Amino acid sequence: MNTIDLTGKVALVTGGSRGLGKAIAMAMAEKGAEVVICGRKQDNLDQAVEDLRQKGINITAFMANIGNSDEVTALFKAIEDRFDRLDILVNNVGMNILTPSVIATDEGLWDKIITTNLKGTFLASAGGARLMKKTGQGKIINISSIAARKAAMGMGIYCVAKAGVEMLTRVLAVELAQDHINVNGVAPSVVKTKFSQPFWSNESLLKEITNTIPMARIAETDDVVGTVLFLASGMSDFVTGEIITVDGGSMA
Ligand SMILES: NC(=O)c1ccc[n+]([C@@H]2O[C@H](COP(=O)([O-])OP(=O)(O)OC[C@H]3O[C@@H](n4cnc5c(N)ncnc54)[C@H](OP(=O)(O)O)[C@@H]3O)[C@@H](O)[C@H]2O)c1
């Protein structure tokens, strides 16, 4: 009960070629899982596989754009052919393009942000749940954001998409409970990755942000990984439909 052991589990971490996804992939492999990552760019995937190989960790990478249903179907087919099961799905892909105002945004940008963050989570959850039902169990973990619950300037469409991800988490938790598939989410505040570089690379903006966080710092990827491991493990078997906030107290 008091250790996290993912031996024998097959895990897919979407968007695992850098940032939070890469840290989650590494931690899950270290806990014994067979880990698959996906991303849009082969060179980013190759780099991640090589970085982890140099640390003695072997993972598998498949190229797939999570917002494209044909590519997602091919991704789950490849996982099925290779492993014939999926135990853990981390819907980690997320992106934003800074926009001054939602209503002044063109339709194309709305579609891109909603498709990648929300539709991608739906497509991958459908593909993942299909494989999980074959073994009668599974864990789906959606990476949300405190932006799902707190409007942030420049991030309006992303906020809407992540709010959708949180409701999708609760809806799928209810729908998949009978199949012994837990569906939960993790909502971090700013984590130091490429995604958030515009925030933490600007010294005065970083100071402004840390002033809103009682723990007085932004998160490193490892600050989020532990919660994801907990939700992937047997320690959280009776937890479903829950979003765990990992934010150094900022929402408190
Ligand atoms: N960093 C933060 O401050 C923060 C805070 C709260 C929540 N989050 C959430 O945490 C998650 C991870 O973010 P991060 O900061 O690690 O981002 P990141 O550094 O930008 O990494 C994103 C990863 O996703 C892949 N990716 C992007 N679009 C994709 C698509 N359409 N299909 C497949 N893969 C795609 C990228 O690879 P390619 O570019 O090669 O496709 C990369 O591996 C996201 O859901 C984000 O919303 C982040």
Side-chain angles (χ1 to χ4, degrees), residues 14-21 38-41 44 64-67 91-95 116-117 143-146 158 162 187-196:
T14 70
S17 61
R18 64 167 184 265
L20 184 54
C38 76
R40 291 164 305 173
K41 294 174 197 135
N44 290 349
N65 179 344
I66 216 69
N91 282 311
N92 167 76
V93 167
M95 57 77 70
T116 305
N117 292 286
I143 305 300
S144 179
S145 164
I146 59 165
Y158 175 82
K162 288 295 191 184
S189 52
V190 176
V191 186
K192 196 170 183 187
T193 66
K194 188 175 176 205
F195 170 98
S196 56

Side-chain angles (χ1 to χ4, degrees), residues 11-80:
L12 168 64
V13 183
T14 70
S17 61
R18 64 167 184 265
L20 184 54
K22 186 177 173 191
I24 293 167
M26 185 169 110
M28 287 191 168
E30 282 175 333
K31 293 292 180 190
E34 278 283 357
V35 177
V36 178
I37 60 170
C38 76
R40 291 164 305 173
K41 294 174 197 135
Q42 190 63 52
D43 51 342
N44 290 349
L45 292 168
D46 292 344
Q47 184 67 55
V49 169
E50 179 55 23
D51 287 352
L52 297 193
R53 198 188 60 75
Q54 285 184 10
K55 292 183 161 78
I57 295 166
N58 290 313
I59 62 166
T60 305
F62 293 118
M63 207 165 74
N65 179 344
I66 216 69
N68 179 306
S69 58
D70 290 341
E71 292 184 30
V72 173
T73 301
L75 168 67
F76 285 97
K77 171 85 170 57
I79 292 170
E80 191 171 18

